[in-house]
Amino acid sequence: MLNTPITRSLALCLATSVCGVQTALASGFMLPESSTAGIGLTNALVANPEERGAFAYNPAAMGFHDRSSLALGTYFVGPNFSVDTTSGHHDSDGAEWMIVPMIQGAFVLDDHWRLGLGVSVPFGLETRWSDGAFPAVSGTRTLGGFSIPLGHPLASKVEVVDLSPTATYRLSDDLSLSAGIDIYWARQAKLDSTLGALSGDGYGLGFNLGALYRQGAWSVGAVFHSSATLELDGDFTPKSSVLVGLGRLARGQSAELDLSLPWRLQLGARYAFDERLAVEFDISRTGWSAFNDIKVTGKHGGAVIFVDQNDWDDANAYRLGATYRLDDRTRLSVGYTYDETGQGDDHFSARVPDNDRHLFGLGLARSLGNGLSLEAAYMYVRALDRDYRGAKNYRGGDLNGSTALTGEYSMDAHLIGLEVVKVF
């Protein structure tokens, strides 16, 4: 790969594309929703020993169930993003609705052991800004009599699938522990700017630990997911025939990109007032400080082409959820979460115009008999508007945290979840 200033500028555009895709549900680019029950409770489900939808949040909950089960579901996300800059009002032209799968199996081996297997998408993001949304990097400039694109960020999409096998051991009637592996697959990474496009995929590995303790009406739970680094292999296709003709860019290039996923810790306490009503309060901590840089290197030779610093801060989310059983076959749920951003002004990205946000959830579960149940949930996400003025003057190069991104950003999203659960 050619190590020229223009090539490094291109690598920068591609690198910021990874950390800069708008997300719909949680701070940064995290998607914590893992079951329909979790959607209705805005993910306040780590200390719940009763709901099978809790298995995806805390596998230790499997220890409190004596029958195996399989849950198959999906949720639909309808995000809305916009920014007002000096060039006017701009909407992100991403997919109107995105589909996210949820699968969770729990298998009873004996009185103590349970095995689980989950499939979820804990991280995912997509955005499409049109050239012109950010005037400082829109269009082209004249260099040596040629028109050179300025590298305006365009379409970006990253989807990270987590295949998580877990083992749960119930030490006593009141205590259950779990341990598992998170096998991350960046199923697709498509990163686009006016300079070029990068596409690829890759893998990473982490682990998770969980615990759940119940005593009378009280239960407390905890789950931890380690950080992980995904190694992405991709191919770059330049868009500027001028740069290719000048020899500044090769016609095709191979590159490697390291993407660090944050660690996650969730603690919760639940109190059952009676057989019908229970309330849970959780605190989640996301280690966004692990997402400290994005490094682009040549696939052959390993030379570092660019390192993009993010320097995000660890952030908290405060979750409150309540369940109410109308009868033996019907359960209602409601949830609220206040989710803090870890992105400060110094490294603000137009691709992740993140801010603190409110989450509101409603859910309904209905038993159909013969161990079969159907669940549905709805969530509304509203981020606080962010009036960003830039932490540093833009003089070319790194866009993040610069005045080139000055504007007022807004976001909200609608989410609908559907799930079928079979107990056997």
Side-chain angles (χ1 to χ4, degrees):
M1 185 178 294
L2 299 178
N3 193 7
T4 67
I6 293 181
T7 308
R8 290 193 295 271
S9 178
L10 172 61
L12 169 60
C13 294
L14 297 176
T16 55
S17 294
V18 175
C19 69
V21 185
Q22 299 179 37
T23 182
L25 305 178
S27 65
F29 52 91
M30 186 171 65
L31 305 175
E33 288 68 28
S34 299
S35 72
T36 299
I39 293 171
L41 293 164
T42 63
N43 308 303
L45 207 57
V46 76
N48 192 320
E50 298 180 4
E51 303 294 337
R52 294 182 183 274
F55 298 170
Y57 290 85
N58 187 355
M62 292 189 294
F64 293 87
H65 294 258
D66 296 327
R67 298 175 64 185
S68 300
S69 63
L70 179 64
L72 302 175
T74 187
Y75 65 87
F76 305 86
V77 184
N80 301 290
F81 307 96
S82 65
V83 61
D84 291 301
T85 66
T86 56
S87 60
H89 179 82
H90 304 274
D91 293 317
S92 172
D93 298 323
E96 292 186 2
W97 287 93
M98 294 177 286
I99 302 175
V100 183
M102 301 179 293
I103 303 172
Q104 183 65 48
F107 308 99
V108 177
L109 300 184
D110 55 33
D111 290 341
H112 295 283
W113 285 100
R114 313 284 189 268
L115 293 181
L117 181 63
V119 178
S120 63
V121 182
F123 300 94
L125 25 100
E126 181 176 12
T127 192
R128 297 176 189 173
W129 293 116
S130 59
D131 190 4
F134 308 104
V137 289
S138 299
T140 62
R141 69 174 177 176
T142 301
L143 181 65
F146 297 99
S147 294
I148 305 298
L150 294 181
H152 191 288
L154 299 174
S156 302
K157 184 175 183 179
V158 176
E159 180 180 343
V160 178
V161 178
D162 181 13
L163 176 65
S164 181
T166 56
T168 297
Y169 185 78
R170 187 167 183 177
L171 284 96
S172 67
D173 292 341
D174 300 321
L175 179 61
S176 182
L177 303 175
S178 69
I181 300 172
D182 290 307
I183 305 170
Y184 295 111
W185 172 35
R187 193 177 71 87
Q188 55 179 330
K190 299 179 180 180
L191 314 171
D192 199 358
S193 76
T194 55
L195 281 170
L198 177 70
S199 62
D201 58 11
Y203 297 89
L205 192 65
F207 67 88
N208 62 80
L209 301 171
L212 184 57
Y213 177 76
R214 180 175 64 183
Q215 184 64 49
W218 284 96
S219 59
V220 293
V223 68
F224 174 78
H225 291 264
S226 71
S227 61
T229 299
L230 276 61
E231 297 180 356
L232 307 183
D233 291 333
D235 296 311
F236 165 67
T237 302
K239 290 185 177 181
S240 174
S241 59
V242 172
L243 293 178
V244 172
L246 290 173
R248 301 294 184 89
L249 291 177
R251 295 184 180 276
Q253 301 184 25
S254 298
E256 294 178 333
L257 183 66
D258 289 342
L259 175 63
S260 296
L261 302 179
W263 55 263
R264 294 164 283 157
L265 174 65
Q266 187 163 341
L267 307 173
R270 182 176 184 267
Y271 183 78
F273 292 91
D274 53 36
E275 294 182 353
R276 290 190 171 186
L277 177 64
V279 175
E280 179 170 339
F281 176 73
D282 290 3
I283 298 177
S284 300
R285 181 78 168 173
T286 302
W288 287 116
S289 57
F291 182 60
N292 56 357
D293 61 46
I294 291 178
K295 183 169 65 175
V296 180
T297 62
K299 189 172 183 179
H300 303 291
V304 176
I305 296 174
F306 186 82
V307 178
D308 180 35
Q309 293 298 130
N310 298 302
D311 292 331
W312 287 12
D313 298 320
D314 299 344
N316 293 337
Y318 306 92
R319 312 184 187 278
L320 182 64
T323 56
Y324 183 78
R325 296 192 175 276
L326 291 176
D327 52 47
D328 292 340
R329 301 180 65 182
T330 308
R331 187 256 299 150
L332 302 177
S333 61
V334 61
Y336 168 75
T337 290
Y338 182 73
D339 195 359
E340 298 175 339
T341 180
Q343 183 191 66
D345 286 349
D346 290 345
H347 297 276
F348 177 81
S349 169
R351 306 254 194 182
V352 189
D354 200 27
N355 207 4
D356 298 345
R357 60 195 66 192
H358 302 278
L359 287 68
F360 307 90
L362 294 171
L364 170 66
R366 176 71 175 177
S367 174
L368 305 178
N370 297 319
L372 190 67
S373 63
L374 179 65
E375 300 190 16
Y378 168 77
M379 180 188 292
Y380 177 67
V381 181
R382 177 65 187 180
L384 302 180
D385 291 345
R386 185 159 184 171
D387 188 9
Y388 182 72
R389 297 303 169 191
K392 60 185 179 185
N393 291 327
Y394 180 68
R395 296 184 176 88
D398 192 359
L399 292 177
N400 288 356
S402 74
T403 52
L405 305 180
T406 293
E408 185 170 341
Y409 298 81
S410 62
M411 184 279 287
D412 70 350
H414 302 273
L415 188 150
I416 299 172
L418 297 172
E419 191 169 28
V420 176
V421 181
K422 174 64 177 179
V423 179
F424 51 91

